[in-house]
Amino acid sequence: MGLTQFYNKFFEEPTSQLFKLHPQLDRQVMQAYRFIDSDDNLAKVLELDLEVAEKEKRGEPLVGPCVPTYYK
């Protein structure tokens, strides 16, 4: 079973830890990307995706998510 299948199987179960943690994960992701509730977040994600695509076209190095250097 892949991650998506696992997620889909257990997400809707209110007793699952995944269900309970999902709102917290949403808040953390929104904070990391500096999104606010009133934003059109889908438009912002598309904008970010287009920026990455442009960097790829120009041959610029892409840095993926990682643990901040200050975290120990």
Side-chain angles (χ1 to χ4, degrees):
M1 176 183 297
L3 183 59
T4 300
Q5 291 170 321
F6 177 81
Y7 188 87
N8 289 341
K9 181 177 175 85
F10 295 104
F11 176 69
E12 295 298 329
E13 293 184 27
T15 58
S16 77
Q17 277 297 102
L18 186 58
F19 182 86
K20 293 174 185 175
L21 292 173
H22 192 85
Q24 181 181 348
L25 177 62
D26 282 349
R27 284 191 303 277
Q28 294 294 321
V29 169
M30 288 184 67
Q31 182 180 4
Y33 284 96
R34 298 186 176 124
F35 289 178
I36 55 176
D37 288 335
S38 62
D39 286 341
D40 181 351
N41 293 324
L42 290 177
K44 290 183 91 169
V45 168
L46 176 59
E47 181 181 330
L48 290 170
D49 188 51
L50 293 172
E51 287 176 20
V52 170
E54 285 300 316
K55 286 182 179 183
E56 285 180 321
K57 284 181 189 176
R58 293 189 300 263
E60 294 181 28
L62 300 174
V63 178
C66 60
V67 176
T69 55
Y70 59 83
Y71 184 79
K72 294 183 182 196

